[in-house]
């Protein structure tokens, strides 16, 4: 029983990071129907920024987190502006291939400029664990969970209550109608990239703290897993991405715990195949019917 | 108020609108009628800034607006109710209406507009918190018109507001159009239901394959034999 709780705690910590990433995939997909394969690399940029400012400028955790969210947002908006915006009216496959290109550019660009070595992430917060009835919970895990939940609640508030959030939803469901009420599509898309990429930047710092190690290719696998989490939740659905992220995290940790570490990634891909076969719209996705 | 001069619009190489000219004076109801594919929707979308013209001028209150984007045109006082309603699914009736006032900053003003809308469309008030996607077709049409009115436009562009509605609802929609007009909003109306449209229009233009074929007052066109043959079912 304790083992199960332990794995749930571990799974939720990892899952909350996937959830933060999955939110970016789902929001961007919702608004421009693009699977932004470069999203995982923004998370890598966030981690490297955190690494840099903690080591060089002695930022504390909060400052590192917030500043890498800003860096994430700037990167996301810049990528959209230069790489995706010119292709807005091109076939979707063109933008998709461009996204893969941007991803390679960031990965190899970082490797080339700063070497592809794995670095150990500075521990801004000293790790210690609490024993709760035999289940070990570290302060870092609590920090990850709390930070992710705060960010997700904040995101939800932005989407539901603010004007820009409403504009995002309007553009997602009907871009022409949104323009006809006066919404600026370009600003709204930039805003969406900024939000999603800020979450990825935050996730980068959190994973650095959790796993202690970062490298220029660190975004690839988590990026794909977060994408699967978004598909599992129903791509385009914000609560779906959060739930999907937690589920994938827990699933992966369980497979690791029962001694199938070698298969923990494979199992996530099996999930993808299974959803596509059984529940193509995902848990929260709906098949939208239009009334004529 | 609005003058369209020699307007041509292309979709790629397809020339959907060919040198169309017409004008609307302040306070009028003007109709564009014509069969499917005549280019009516294309003209409206070009006025509202969703499409860019290939040639020609669109002058609104003295300024050439053909290069202005849709949000700017809304701000300048032209609102379009698109063909097929295009309400925002997943948002409540109230949220849809609030989106209509997206460019209005003053909260008290939005509230006042909303109250005014609910007075004119009591059906919407009863369904204020319902998901707009679950409204009936007629209710969605009302919502689409109400959403456009939330921006307090000087000129409203209506694209087939009676499409797919029952006769009673159609009468109601046409009543509303006349009331909106009496309260000072100029109306550009596109309709398949030519008889009804002509009967409430000050003037109308008949379009066919992207060109203006005929023009006159609503009464004249209703009485015109050719128009009767082509658009009024004999
Ligand atoms: N996005 C598009 N791409 C290519 N051609 C288009 C596009 N939209 C419209 N057309 C063509 O332009 C012509 C005019 O279309 P438009 O929608 O303006 O007609 P309409 O008069 O509004 O017809 P209806 O009464 O059926 O709504 C049609 O031949 C149509 O096929
Ligand atoms: Mg049309």
């Amino acid at each position: 029983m304790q083992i199960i709780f332990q794995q749930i705690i571990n799974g939720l910590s990892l899952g909350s990071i996937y959830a933060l990433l999955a939110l970016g995939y789902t929001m961007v997909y919702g608004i421009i129907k693009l699977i932004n394969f470069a999203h995982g690399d923004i998370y890598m940029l966030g981690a490297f920024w955190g690494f840099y400012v903690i080591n060089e400028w002695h930022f504390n955790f909060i400052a590192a987190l917030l500043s890498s969210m800003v860096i994430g947002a700037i990167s996301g908006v810049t990528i959209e502006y230069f790489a995706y915006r010119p292709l807005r009216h091109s076939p979707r496959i063109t933008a998709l291939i461009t996204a893969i290109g941007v991803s390679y550019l960031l990965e190899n660009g970082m490797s080339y400029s700063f070497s592809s070595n794995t670095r150990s992430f500075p521990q801004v917060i000293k790790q210690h664990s609490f024993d709760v009835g035999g289940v070990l919970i570290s302060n870092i895990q609590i920090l990850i969970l709390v930070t992710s939940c705060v960010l997700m609640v904040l995101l939800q508030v932005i989407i539901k209550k603010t004007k820009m959030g409403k504009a995002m939803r309007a553009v997602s469901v009907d871009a022409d109608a949104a323009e006809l009420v006066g919404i600026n599509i370009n600003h709204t898309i930039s805003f969406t990239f900024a939000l999603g990429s800020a979450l990825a930047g935050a996730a980068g710092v959190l994973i650095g703290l959790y796993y202690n190690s970062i490298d220029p290719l660190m975004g690839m696998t988590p990026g794909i897993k977060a994408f699967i989490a978004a598909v599992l939740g129903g791509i385009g659905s914000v609560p779906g991405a959060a739930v999907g992220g937690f589920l994938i995290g827990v699933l992966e940790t369980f497979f690791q715990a029962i001694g199938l570490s070698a298969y923990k990634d494979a199992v996530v891909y099996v999930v993808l195949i299974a959803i596509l076969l059984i529940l193509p719209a995902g848990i929260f996705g709906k098949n939208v019917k239009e009334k004529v | 108020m609005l003058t369209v001069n020699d307007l041509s619009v292309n979709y790629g190489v397809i020339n959907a609108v060919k040198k169309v000219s017409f004008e609307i004076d302040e306070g009028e109801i003007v109709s564009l009628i014509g069969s499917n594919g005549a280019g009516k929707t294309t003209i409206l979308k070009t006025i509202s800034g969703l499409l860019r013209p290939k040639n020609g001028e669109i002058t609104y209150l003295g300024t050439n607006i053909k290069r202005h984007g849709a949000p700017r045109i809304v701000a300048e006082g032209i609102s379009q109710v698109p063909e097929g309603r295009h309400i925002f699914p997943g948002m409540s009736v109230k949220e849809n209406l609030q989106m209509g006032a997206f460019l209005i900053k003053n909260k008290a003003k939005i509230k006042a507009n909303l109250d005014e809308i609910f007075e004119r469309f009591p059906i919407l008030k009863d369904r204020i918190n319902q998901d707009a996607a679950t409204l009936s077709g007629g209710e969605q049409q009302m919502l689409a018109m109400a959403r456009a009115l939330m921006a307090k436009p000087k000129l409203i562009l209506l694209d087939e507001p009676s499409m797919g509605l029952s006769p009673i609802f159609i009468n109601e929609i046409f009543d509303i159009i006349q009331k909106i007009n009496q309260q000072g909003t100029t109306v550009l109306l596109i309709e398949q239901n030519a008889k009804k449209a002509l009967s409430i229009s000050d003037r109308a233009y008949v379009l066919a394959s992207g060109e203006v074929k005929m023009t006159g007052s609503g009464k004249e066109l209703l009485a015109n034999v050719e128009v009767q043959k082509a658009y009024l079912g004999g």
Side-chain angles (χ1 to χ4, degrees), chain A residues 144-208:
Chain A
I144 289 176
L145 275 172
V146 170
T147 310
S148 317
C149 291
V150 167
L151 290 176
M152 286 186 233
V153 169
L154 214 61
L155 177 71
Q156 199 63 8
V157 171
I158 291 175
I159 293 177
K160 291 277 177 218
K161 301 286 178 210
T162 68
K163 226 172 162 172
M164 273 322 271
K166 287 184 182 173
M168 267 172 68
R169 284 156 66 202
V171 175
S172 296
V173 294
D174 195 328
D176 273 358
E179 272 206 282
L180 289 178
V181 297
I183 294 170
N184 184 315
I185 305 273
N186 283 337
H187 292 177
T188 311
I189 292 174
S190 294
F191 181 75
T192 308
F193 269 84
L195 275 186
S197 309
L199 294 180
V205 170
L206 294 176
I207 201 72

Side-chain angles (χ1 to χ4, degrees), chain B residues 11-12 14-17 34-43 45 51 83 159-160 163 190-192 207 210:
Chain B
Y11 292 106
I14 304 166
N15 187 204
V17 172
S35 56
N36 296 115
K40 306 179 297 293
T41 300
T42 308
I43 292 173
K45 284 186 173 174
L51 295 175
E83 183 174 9
D159 197 344
E160 302 204 26
M163 187 169 68
I190 285 185
E191 262 302 335
Q192 292 290 344
L207 288 166

Side-chain angles (χ1 to χ4, degrees), chain A residues 6-284:
Chain A
Q6 184 69 61
Q7 295 315 321
I8 288 181
I9 293 293
N10 295 350
L12 289 179
S13 313
L14 183 61
S16 60
I17 286 167
Y18 291 153
L20 286 179
L21 276 178
L23 286 166
Y25 275 106
T26 230
M27 285 193 289
V28 165
Y29 183 85
I31 206 151
I32 54 172
K33 304 288 174 277
L34 167 73
I35 294 162
N36 180 15
F37 279 112
H39 193 61
D41 300 301
I42 290 181
Y43 150 95
M44 176 269 292
L45 291 181
F48 269 80
W49 174 263
F51 170 84
Y52 182 81
V53 294
I54 293 168
N55 274 341
E56 301 293 322
W57 297 349
H58 306 291
F59 274 26
N60 63 18
F61 168 71
I62 298 284
L65 184 82
L66 293 179
S67 63
S68 57
M69 289 176 74
V70 172
I71 291 296
I74 293 172
S75 325
V77 170
T78 312
I79 292 171
E80 190 275 327
Y81 188 85
F82 288 105
Y84 306 148
R85 188 167 299 184
L87 302 173
R88 188 81 53 75
H89 301 288
S90 312
R92 273 160 70 179
I93 191 78
T94 316
L96 198 69
I97 292 168
T98 306
I100 296 173
V102 171
S103 168
Y104 278 125
L105 180 72
L106 292 176
E107 286 165 10
N108 294 309
M110 286 297 283
S111 300
Y112 183 77
S113 322
F114 302 105
S115 95
S116 55
N117 296 338
T118 301
R119 294 125 167 108
S120 65
F121 198 84
Q123 295 306 289
V124 257
I125 290 174
K126 225 181 166 51
Q127 176 158 359
H128 55 88
S129 297
F130 308 98
D131 187 331
V132 184
V135 179
L136 286 180
I137 306 176
S138 78
N139 57 338
I140 305 266
Q141 286 180 319
I142 295 174
L143 190 68
I144 289 176
L145 275 172
V146 170
T147 310
S148 317
C149 291
V150 167
L151 290 176
M152 286 186 233
V153 169
L154 214 61
L155 177 71
Q156 199 63 8
V157 171
I158 291 175
I159 293 177
K160 291 277 177 218
K161 301 286 178 210
T162 68
K163 226 172 162 172
M164 273 322 271
K166 287 184 182 173
M168 267 172 68
R169 284 156 66 202
V171 175
S172 296
V173 294
D174 195 328
D176 273 358
E179 272 206 282
L180 289 178
V181 297
I183 294 170
N184 184 315
I185 305 273
N186 283 337
H187 292 177
T188 311
I189 292 174
S190 294
F191 181 75
T192 308
F193 269 84
L195 275 186
S197 309
L199 294 180
V205 170
L206 294 176
I207 201 72
L209 275 182
Y210 196 40
Y211 281 166
N212 292 347
S213 83
I214 62 169
D215 68 89
L217 300 185
M218 64 182 280
M220 286 169 82
T221 312
I224 292 174
K225 286 182 187 160
F227 163 63
I228 294 172
V231 175
L232 173 63
I235 191 128
S237 155
V238 167
V243 171
F246 283 117
L247 285 177
I248 295 285
V250 170
L251 187 78
E252 190 183 320
T253 336
F254 263 96
F255 268 80
Q256 208 164 4
I258 57 175
L260 295 174
S261 278
Y263 299 99
K264 75 178 166 70
D265 291 351
V267 101
V268 177
Y269 301 122
V270 170
V271 167
L272 176 65
I273 296 169
I275 324 161
L276 292 179
L277 290 175
I278 302 164
L279 200 69
I283 302 172
F284 288 81

Side-chain angles (χ1 to χ4, degrees), chain A residues 163 169 174 180-181 183 291, chain B residues 71 74 86 95 99 102 135:
Chain A
K163 226 172 162 172
R169 284 156 66 202
D174 195 328
L180 289 178
V181 297
I183 294 170
K291 204 167 245 167
Chain B
V74 177
H86 288 268
E95 283 178 308
M99 292 311 292
F102 190 80
L135 295 177

Side-chain angles (χ1 to χ4, degrees), chain B residues 96-149:
Chain B
N96 264 275
L97 292 171
Q98 286 167 337
M99 292 311 292
F102 190 80
L103 293 176
I104 300 177
K105 299 272 178 296
N106 182 339
K107 285 225 166 81
K109 211 163 160 195
I110 297 177
K111 178 82 183 47
N113 290 3
L114 200 59
D115 290 341
E116 206 178 300
I117 290 290
F118 283 143
E119 217 166 286
R120 186 176 289 146
F121 301 91
I123 296 185
L124 296 180
K125 187 165 191 180
D126 298 338
R127 309 199 166 273
I128 181 163
N129 290 318
Q130 191 173 326
D131 182 341
T134 62
L135 295 177
S136 79
E139 290 161 351
Q140 287 189 1
Q141 184 60 54
M142 300 231 172
L143 179 58
M145 287 173 66
R147 185 181 62 189
L149 291 170

